[in-house]
Amino acid sequence: MVKVLMILSNPFMVDPRVYKEAKALVEAGHEVAVVVWDRRGEYSSDDTVDGIHVIRIHNSLLMRFAGTDVLRNPLWWRQAYKKGLELYRGGYEFDVVHCHDLDTLQAGVWLKKKLGVKLVYDAHELWGYLIEGDVPRFVVNRAFRMEEKLVQRVDHIVTVDEPFRLYFSSLTDTPVTIVMNCKDLRYDTYEPSENDVFTLIYIGGMKRKRFFPDIIDVAGSLDGVRLQLAGKKEDLYHEMEVYARRYNNVSFHGTLPFDQILPRTRAADATFILVDPSSSHYQRTLFNKQFEAMVCGRPIIVTKGTYAAKMTEELECGLTVDYNEKAIREAIIRLRDDQQLREKLGRNALDAAQKRYNWQQEKKNILKVYEELA
C-alpha cells in the first residue's frame, strides 16, 4: 500500500481526470489525500469523496489582493507546501507526491527535497503552450524554463497522449507514461437519440480559442437544430450564459456534476470540440469531449490540423472541419440531415471505446506507475 498526496490547483469536484486517478488508486488499496486550491471558496475546507480525503486551501487576504493568478501562484505553492508538511507531520506520512500540472509542481519539488518522498508529475497540459497568447511573452518563456528545470527532479511523468510524451522525452530521461482521459464504459450497444430536433451538446470550457461565442451564432441561426451548453465557471462562462439568451434554440445549463455528463451527451445527437489550430497546445492535445462522445456512441465535430482531428479521421467517429463559420455550419447541417451518417459515425465511436479507448484500459497504466514506485 502506498500513501499518496496529490496537489491540484482547482477544487477537485470539477476535475474528472484527477478524481478517476485517485479513485483507481484507492480501489487498488492505496491511500490518497488531495490538497486543492479552491480559489473562489465554493467548497468546504475538508471533505471525503469516495474514500479520497480532500483538503481545500482558500485564498488568503494577500492572495485576494495579488490581482492575477500569475502573482497568486507563488503564494499558492507555498500554502500547498506548508499544508503537505502539516499533513506529513500530523501522521499522514505519504510516500509519493503527485502534482497535477505545472502550477503545482514547485510545491511538489519542495516536499520531495524536504521529506525524501517520490515525485510524480501529471501533465494534463503543456503549460507554456496553453497560456501562449493569454499572458505576456516573458511569462510564457518563464513557464517553459521552469518546467524544463523542475522535471529533472521528478521520478515519473504521467501525461495524456503521444505528442505530450514526445515533448517530455525531449526534456528529460525520466520515464513517461500515457494515461488518456478515457471514460468508463456505460453503454453496451449503440442506440440513436430520441430527439425530435437535431441536438448538439457541449459541456466544457468556453473560450474564444474554442469558437465561442461564434458557435452560438452558427447553431442559433439554423433551423432544425438545438444547442445545449454547460461548463465550469471560468473563462467566458458568464458571458456565454447571457449570450445564449439571444436564441430560442440555445439552452445554457450551468455547471453539471460528473455523473450527468455522459447521460446528457448520450441523449444528444452529436457534440463538438472546435479549437484554433494555430495554437501549439491545441495542435498536440486530445480532449475530454472525444472520449465522452466515444463511450456514448455519438459523432463529434473536430477542427482540422490537430492531433484530435487525426484520431477522429483514423477512427471514422466524427467529422473534421476547417476553423471557420462556413465549414462548421456545413458540418452541422450534414449531421442534421443525414441520420445514417450519424449512426455510422456513432457506431464507430462506441466500437473504438469498447475495444481500446476506455478507462478500464487506461487505469491499468496509472496503477502500473505506482507498482513501479512502490
Side-chain angles (χ1 to χ4, degrees):
M1 189 268 284
V2 176
K3 287 187 176 181
V4 184
L5 177 69
M6 291 187 171
I7 307 178
L8 173 67
S9 66
N10 65 53
F12 180 75
M13 299 306 297
V14 294
D15 201 315
R17 176 182 178 87
V18 181
Y19 166 75
K20 290 166 78 67
E21 288 184 347
K23 186 179 179 184
L25 291 170
V26 168
E27 290 174 345
H30 303 300
E31 194 170 344
V32 180
V34 191
V35 170
V36 308
W37 185 10
D38 179 12
R39 63 195 80 191
R40 293 186 180 89
E42 296 177 310
Y43 301 91
S44 62
S45 298
D46 200 280
D47 199 3
T48 300
V49 180
D50 292 339
I52 305 156
H53 185 196
V54 183
I55 305 101
R56 296 188 177 93
I57 293 173
H58 300 126
N59 282 355
S60 64
L61 184 63
L62 183 57
M63 291 167 80
R64 287 197 291 272
F65 277 111
T68 68
D69 283 346
V70 171
L71 299 176
R72 289 189 192 103
N73 276 332
L75 302 172
W76 145 243
W77 301 335
R78 182 60 60 180
Q79 292 240 37
Y81 169 68
K82 288 180 177 178
K83 180 59 69 173
L85 285 182
E86 179 185 320
L87 289 169
Y88 193 91
R89 291 166 177 168
Y92 186 69
E93 297 182 357
F94 47 88
D95 308 289
V96 179
V97 179
H98 187 133
C99 291
H100 292 276
D101 275 327
L102 182 60
D103 57 353
T104 70
L105 186 54
Q106 181 64 75
V109 169
W110 287 336
L111 286 168
K112 176 181 178 177
K113 182 178 180 180
K114 181 71 173 180
L115 302 173
V117 295
K118 299 284 187 178
L119 178 58
V120 172
Y121 178 37
D122 199 328
H124 311 185
E125 318 284 358
L126 297 181
W127 206 256
Y129 291 129
L130 178 69
I131 63 176
E132 207 168 29
D134 297 327
V135 297
R137 187 68 215 179
F138 78 89
V139 177
V140 175
N141 292 338
R142 165 117 177 106
F144 279 120
R145 290 195 301 270
M146 177 180 173
E147 185 169 60
E148 185 172 359
K149 176 184 177 182
L150 294 181
V151 294
Q152 311 307 324
R153 306 293 301 276
V154 170
D155 295 289
H156 205 110
I157 297 171
V158 175
T159 195
V160 297
D161 63 24
E162 181 62 16
F164 280 40
R165 187 193 68 78
L166 292 173
Y167 171 81
F168 286 109
S169 294
S170 73
L171 300 181
T172 177
D173 294 330
T174 301
V176 184
T177 295
I178 294 173
V179 178
M180 290 186 286
N181 290 317
C182 296
K183 308 304 173 185
D184 290 305
L185 290 171
R186 292 185 56 172
Y187 307 105
D188 296 328
T189 58
Y190 171 83
E191 290 183 9
S193 78
E194 298 179 353
N195 298 312
D196 54 355
V197 176
F198 174 76
T199 301
L200 272 175
I201 192 166
Y202 178 86
I203 306 170
M206 300 176 200
K207 306 179 182 182
R208 301 202 187 279
K209 289 184 179 181
R210 291 194 176 194
F211 211 67
F212 283 91
D214 307 68
I215 186 60
I216 296 177
D217 290 325
V218 171
S221 63
L222 286 172
D223 293 331
V225 173
R226 180 187 298 123
L227 173 62
Q228 297 182 340
L229 298 172
K232 293 185 281 189
K233 292 181 181 179
E234 58 187 27
D235 302 313
L236 301 180
Y237 174 94
H238 294 293
E239 290 178 53
M240 296 306 99
E241 184 178 21
V242 174
Y243 201 94
R245 296 173 192 158
R246 297 185 180 194
Y247 299 96
N248 293 329
N249 62 335
V250 179
S251 303
F252 196 96
H253 298 286
T255 299
L256 299 177
F258 295 155
D259 59 3
Q260 287 192 33
I261 294 175
L262 295 184
R264 288 193 183 236
T265 302
R266 171 89 160 179
D269 294 287
T271 186
F272 57 87
I273 183 70
L274 303 168
V275 297
D276 185 347
S278 67
S279 163
S280 297
H281 182 261
Y282 288 150
Q283 288 169 11
R284 293 168 167 84
T285 194
L286 296 175
F287 300 92
N288 281 314
K289 298 301 104 202
Q290 288 180 288
F291 299 117
E292 291 162 9
M294 283 184 191
V295 297
C296 293
R298 294 294 178 262
I300 188 168
I301 304 172
V302 184
T303 314
K304 289 181 178 178
T306 62
Y307 186 63
K310 180 175 181 288
M311 171 183 276
T312 300
E313 290 169 355
E314 288 177 352
L315 298 176
E316 296 183 30
C317 62
L319 301 180
T320 59
V321 297
D322 291 324
Y323 189 68
N324 62 62
E325 183 177 320
K326 180 176 181 292
I328 292 164
R329 180 186 298 271
E330 289 175 352
I332 294 172
I333 292 171
R334 187 180 174 194
L335 288 177
R336 179 197 68 185
D337 296 345
D338 194 336
Q339 191 275 332
Q340 288 186 331
L341 176 63
R342 296 202 304 269
E343 179 170 340
K344 174 188 172 184
L345 298 175
R347 287 185 180 277
N348 288 346
L350 183 59
D351 183 63
Q354 290 174 335
K355 289 180 177 177
R356 170 66 183 87
Y357 298 98
N358 61 74
W359 182 244
Q360 286 83 344
Q361 290 291 330
E362 287 306 294
K363 74 177 182 181
K364 295 176 184 177
N365 295 335
I366 192 68
L367 295 179
K368 185 176 179 182
V369 169
Y370 275 84
E371 288 172 10
E372 294 174 358
L373 289 173

